[in-house]
């Protein structure tokens, strides 16, 4: 098992939500690989991003280069499973996304000792749920 990689946000500036989700998936996998994790569950709250990243359709589209980068990451010697999670089921990701909005443009790593981050990690680990209004 690798060492703890902490948490990160990347403020991309102005971009689509789908692009941000795809970029987060790529950055997350890059960091997981860097820190030695070889069994990874990648949970995304965007079914659109999941469909784009896992599609067998190789037609060029606006995210084609990012999809290729994602697929190259998957070809490394590791096990990665991609699945959907509702935003309410991953409060850590929601917390970090909100932090990213107020961060300067670029990549930022947060220590796991951040009080807000620690609270939401515990919330997720304990499986505390929240009602989703549809």
């Amino acid at each position: 098992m690798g060492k703890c990689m902490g948490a990160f946000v990347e403020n991309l500036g102005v971009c689509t939500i789908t692009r941000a989700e795809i970029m987060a998936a790529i950055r997350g996998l890059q960091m997981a690989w860097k820190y030695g994790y070889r069994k990874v569950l990648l949970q995304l709250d965007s079914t659109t991003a999941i469909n784009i990243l896992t599609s067998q359709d190789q037609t060029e589209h606006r995210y084609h280069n990012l999809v290729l980068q994602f697929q190259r990451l998957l070809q490394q010697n590791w096990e990665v499973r991609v699945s959907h999670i509702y935003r309410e089921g991953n409060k850590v990701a929601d917390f970090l996304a909100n932090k990213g909005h107020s961060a300067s443009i670029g990549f930022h790593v947060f220590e796991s000792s951040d009080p807000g981050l620690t609270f939401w990690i515990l919330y997720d680990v304990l499986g505390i749920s929240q009602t989703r209004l549809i």
Side-chain angles (χ1 to χ4, degrees), residues 7-14 95-110:
F8 69 91
V9 298
E10 184 167 11
N11 186 331
L12 301 171
V14 178
F95 171 81
L96 290 170
N98 289 328
K99 271 201 153 314
H101 286 293
S102 60
S104 59
I105 299 291
F107 188 75
H108 307 277
V109 176
F110 293 93

Side-chain angles (χ1 to χ4, degrees), residues 17-22 25 42-55 61 63 67 70 82-88 132:
I17 293 168
T18 301
R19 178 178 170 74
E21 190 87 10
I22 291 171
L42 176 63
Q43 296 178 317
L44 304 173
D45 64 12
S46 168
T47 54
T48 301
I50 291 170
N51 291 338
I52 290 169
L53 290 171
T54 60
S55 172
H61 52 75
Y63 303 114
V67 171
F70 181 81
V82 180
S83 71
H84 178 260
I85 186 170
Y86 288 105
R87 184 177 40 134
E88 295 85 356
R132 177 177 174 87

